[in-house]
Amino acid sequence: MSQTLETIKTRRSVRSYQDKPLPKNDLEQILTAGLYAPSANNTQNWQFTVVQDADKLTKLQKAVGTALGNPGYHRFYNAPVLVIVSAPVDYSHAMADCSCALENIFLAAHELGIDSVWINQLTDTYDNPEVRAVLNGFSVPENHQVCGCAALGYAVTAPAKDRENKGVIVYV
């Protein structure tokens, strides 16, 4: 089996992280993998906003919780890094392009022994005034929508090895 297919098949989402920073070189490699993702017409008009400061992550988490009506929201799972992937609101391929970038980020992280999980709540709350104020403070452009986020770090406990596949393949 190819290394790429092995990486795809063994990657798992992790929802509990150690308080341990990522090596800068590893993070740079992960972000570079995201930059090399395919995009419609090779537009590459995404932005990756990398948040590593615990206070900033807490501030964003609280704003998202308020926007969701869930003050106990704690869905960044204590990850030491959150990569916010955004693109212009008026760009019709934003979600598809950013999803490709996020997948590259997840696979590169796994290849480097770094765990990850997709965080989706910002796609529903990025335009909430409180959340938007925090995002503006992080230099996420005002005209950008958040298409998804990658929480990155080292798992507290090893993720499960096996996974049930429920997808369907149809040949016609």
Side-chain angles (χ1 to χ4, degrees), residues 83-155:
V83 180
I84 302 167
V85 181
S86 64
V89 173
D90 62 354
Y91 177 56
S92 62
H93 301 294
M95 188 57 74
D97 290 1
C98 291
S99 294
C100 288
L102 280 161
E103 180 69 2
N104 277 16
I105 286 168
F106 295 135
L107 294 176
H110 180 59
E111 181 76 17
L112 293 168
I114 295 168
D115 298 297
S116 62
V117 67
W118 182 299
I119 304 292
N120 205 38
Q121 288 76 14
L122 278 161
T123 60
D124 298 325
T125 61
Y126 74 88
D127 58 352
N128 171 278
E130 187 176 342
V131 174
R132 184 78 248 174
V134 175
L135 293 173
N136 289 349
F138 293 172
S139 299
V140 175
E142 184 73 38
N143 71 328
H144 271 216
Q145 63 183 308
V146 174
C147 296
C149 303
L152 302 171
Y154 298 101

Side-chain angles (χ1 to χ4, degrees), residues 1-168:
M1 178 181 326
S2 76
Q3 182 59 46
T4 301
L5 189 54
E6 183 66 21
T7 299
I8 291 167
K9 289 178 73 176
T10 58
R11 190 214 154 264
R12 300 289 179 268
S13 293
V14 168
R15 292 176 177 84
S16 183
Y17 293 90
Q18 298 175 35
D19 183 19
K20 177 180 173 185
L22 301 184
K24 182 178 173 131
N25 185 54
D26 287 354
L27 183 55
E28 289 297 323
Q29 289 183 66
I30 292 165
L31 296 170
T32 298
L35 292 175
Y36 277 84
S39 62
N41 295 312
N42 200 29
T43 53
Q44 303 175 29
N45 64 357
W46 44 56
Q47 176 174 305
F48 303 163
T49 304
V50 182
V51 186
Q52 300 178 82
D53 180 270
D55 292 336
K56 290 179 179 178
L57 286 167
T58 298
K59 184 176 183 179
L60 179 59
Q61 189 168 262
K62 285 181 180 179
V64 170
T66 300
L68 293 172
N70 179 4
Y73 175 82
H74 195 66
R75 294 293 172 95
F76 298 166
Y77 306 108
N78 297 317
V81 176
L82 184 71
V83 180
I84 302 167
V85 181
S86 64
V89 173
D90 62 354
Y91 177 56
S92 62
H93 301 294
M95 188 57 74
D97 290 1
C98 291
S99 294
C100 288
L102 280 161
E103 180 69 2
N104 277 16
I105 286 168
F106 295 135
L107 294 176
H110 180 59
E111 181 76 17
L112 293 168
I114 295 168
D115 298 297
S116 62
V117 67
W118 182 299
I119 304 292
N120 205 38
Q121 288 76 14
L122 278 161
T123 60
D124 298 325
T125 61
Y126 74 88
D127 58 352
N128 171 278
E130 187 176 342
V131 174
R132 184 78 248 174
V134 175
L135 293 173
N136 289 349
F138 293 172
S139 299
V140 175
E142 184 73 38
N143 71 328
H144 271 216
Q145 63 183 308
V146 174
C147 296
C149 303
L152 302 171
Y154 298 101
V156 170
T157 58
K161 300 276 186 214
D162 296 324
R163 179 172 127 182
E164 181 183 352
N165 293 308
K166 298 178 183 175
V168 176

